[in-house]
Amino acid sequence: MIPPVISARSDTSPPGEPPTGRSVLAVDVGATTMKGAVFGEDGQVRHSIVVPSRADGDPVGALRELCRRLRAEALASDVAPAGIGVVTPGIVDEAAGLVRYASNIRFRDVPLRALVHDDLALPVAIGHDARAAGVAEAVAGAGRGLANFVLLPLGTGIAATVVLDGDPVPGTAWSAGEVGHMPVYPGGEPCSCGQRGCLEVYASAGGLARRYARLGGTPGLDSRAIAAATATDPLAGSVWDTATQALGIALATLTLTLDPARIVLGGGLAEAGTHLFDPVRDALRAALAWRTAPEVVPSAFGVQAAQVGAAILARRAAGLPVPDGWAAPVSAPVGS
Ligand SMILES: [Zn+2]
């Protein structure tokens, strides 16, 4: 259930007191852009800012500037934030508030929680983007009400988040879920990680586009264009089939390991809808000889999942309740 819309003004302090808001700030740091938003008490976005990640310049400085701008915009609209959540890719030590290593945004041993707290003097939660997406799906999305599920965002790369009783499994070295480097075709094509035959070489949005170009396809086509061309371009069809087969194999391994109640696919590639989901479901069923396959469903939040997860982490850091269904999307999910 979506809570009723309340006033954007959340300051209930007496006159003269600093505002004590119940809104939160949420930032999702990606390889190309950083997306910031102010979430109201009701889970709706009040303001949003998107800036380039500036990975070649000062990415940490750019992120801190975005956080300060976001708070200033919130205060200018009479929305007093109670906390902030920042999520990044890479190896994120959520307990220590550190980003240990994130190659595509060039962060190494960044004490992000301390830096953002120094700047904003608010409670700060630091999280991993894919695990935060899992939190969002568990609270208000495709994993709501389930004891366990697996979320795979299919984007530039592929990570998985295993959610048990509402909480993502981080692993002993904050590195759980790197299924993009699960070998699906042993001895197959080389991956940037140094191995061969990894899942993301074949089935991430980025890997699919690179593979299509490498095999002689029309230069510059992205995964969306390749998906649209499968009926008329035999190479596009072949690359797409290999991707869905690879996903089926990987999901079979995850199913046999974890016995999840549901598998949720998100990220840009999942926007292909049934064109992706139907062959992946078939490949998963075919790879499981003796047991039934779990449901494979689209993410409820799509590419917004990590940012909603950051907002939920911010509410928890600020000691605010997170009601079941908080920030649930209004529109229907893709691919169903
Ligand atoms: Zn790899």
Side-chain angles (χ1 to χ4, degrees), residues 64 71 111-122 124:
R64 294 173 72 178
R71 184 186 56 170
L112 203 52
R113 185 165 63 207
L115 293 175
V116 175
H117 184 265
D118 283 353
D119 290 344
L120 271 58
L122 289 173
V124 182

Side-chain angles (χ1 to χ4, degrees), residues 181 191 193 195 198:
H181 303 287
C191 177
C193 75
Q195 296 178 345
C198 295

Side-chain angles (χ1 to χ4, degrees), residues 180-182 190-201:
H181 303 287
M182 179 187 283
C191 177
S192 59
C193 75
Q195 296 178 345
R196 285 181 169 273
C198 295
L199 174 64
E200 71 179 42
V201 170

Side-chain angles (χ1 to χ4, degrees), residues 21-24 41 82-83 312 314-323:
R22 293 169 69 85
S23 302
V24 289
E41 166 84 37
I312 292 169
R315 284 187 70 86
R316 289 177 180 167
L320 296 175
V322 182

Side-chain angles (χ1 to χ4, degrees), residues 25-250:
L25 312 179
V27 178
D28 175 16
V29 183
T32 51
T33 59
M34 295 191 283
K35 298 184 291 184
V38 181
F39 281 74
E41 166 84 37
D42 57 358
Q44 300 303 307
V45 172
R46 295 278 185 266
H47 306 276
S48 58
I49 304 175
V50 179
V51 299
S53 296
R54 292 189 222 162
D56 296 329
D58 175 13
V60 177
L63 170 57
R64 294 173 72 178
E65 186 188 323
L66 171 63
C67 294
R68 289 191 294 263
R69 265 184 66 195
L70 206 52
R71 184 186 56 170
E73 291 210 2
L75 290 172
S77 308
D78 254 347
V79 177
I84 179 167
V86 181
V87 301
T88 81
I91 300 171
V92 182
D93 181 339
E94 288 149 347
L98 284 173
V99 182
R100 295 205 178 280
Y101 181 59
S103 63
N104 51 11
I105 52 171
R106 297 179 55 190
F107 279 26
R108 186 183 285 276
D109 293 327
V110 177
L112 203 52
R113 185 165 63 207
L115 293 175
V116 175
H117 184 265
D118 283 353
D119 290 344
L120 271 58
L122 289 173
V124 182
I126 301 301
H128 178 258
D129 54 3
R131 289 197 289 273
V135 170
E137 297 290 347
V139 167
R144 193 171 165 184
L146 298 178
N148 68 72
F149 67 94
V150 182
L151 166 68
L152 280 85
L154 310 173
T156 312
I158 301 178
T161 298
V162 178
V163 180
L164 294 178
D165 299 324
D167 291 318
V169 175
T172 53
W174 307 96
S175 300
E178 292 293 344
V179 300
H181 303 287
M182 179 187 283
V184 288
Y185 297 122
E189 295 172 23
C191 177
S192 59
C193 75
Q195 296 178 345
R196 285 181 169 273
C198 295
L199 174 64
E200 71 179 42
V201 170
Y202 302 92
S204 67
L208 191 113
R210 280 191 296 276
R211 190 161 182 267
Y212 174 80
R214 200 166 59 238
L215 294 175
T218 313
L221 250 55
D222 64 8
S223 61
R224 188 188 301 253
I226 294 166
T230 52
T232 52
D233 175 349
L235 180 60
S238 157
V239 166
W240 190 259
D241 288 348
T242 307
T244 56
Q245 282 295 321
L247 277 168
I249 294 166

